[in-house]
């Protein structure tokens, strides 16, 4: 059931954003000297990850309630 919810919750844009963020994190050479743009990007990405997790949790919870009825 979890895999079904993940397939329904993750869109192509979500996968693209995750791939782009992973690439940027892996290619950032120096985390001790981040610019303001880098800090903003990290903050926005963290918020996006949290909201994605909440969206998946809500969908998983609703799917479980439907299956138990």
């Amino acid at each position: 059931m979890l895999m079904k919810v993940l397939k329904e919750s993750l869109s192509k844009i979500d996968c693209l954003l995750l791939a782009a963020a992973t690439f940027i994190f892996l290619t950032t050479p120096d985390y001790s000297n981040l610019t303001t743009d880098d800090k903003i990007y990290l903050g926005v990405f963290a918020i996006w990850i949290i909201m994605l997790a909440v969206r998946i949790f809500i969908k998983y919870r609703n799917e479980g309630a439907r299956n138990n009825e």
Side-chain angles (χ1 to χ4, degrees):
M1 183 168 87
L2 180 62
M3 291 303 291
K4 178 184 172 190
V5 171
L6 284 175
K7 285 180 184 178
E8 292 174 357
S9 297
L10 289 174
S11 66
K12 291 179 183 179
I13 289 291
D14 291 329
C15 295
L16 182 65
L17 283 172
L18 191 59
T22 303
F23 175 75
I24 290 172
F25 286 140
L26 291 176
T27 58
T28 300
D30 188 13
Y31 284 100
S32 62
N33 295 322
L34 293 175
T35 64
T36 303
D37 292 341
D38 294 334
K39 291 177 185 177
I40 291 171
Y41 177 75
L42 289 172
V44 168
F45 182 69
I47 291 169
W48 176 76
I49 285 289
I50 291 168
M51 296 307 294
L52 179 65
V54 167
R55 186 174 68 194
I56 291 171
F57 174 75
I58 290 171
K59 190 156 187 82
Y60 180 73
R61 195 168 134 210
N62 288 342
E63 287 290 324
R66 283 189 209 142
N67 290 339
N68 289 334
E69 292 178 354

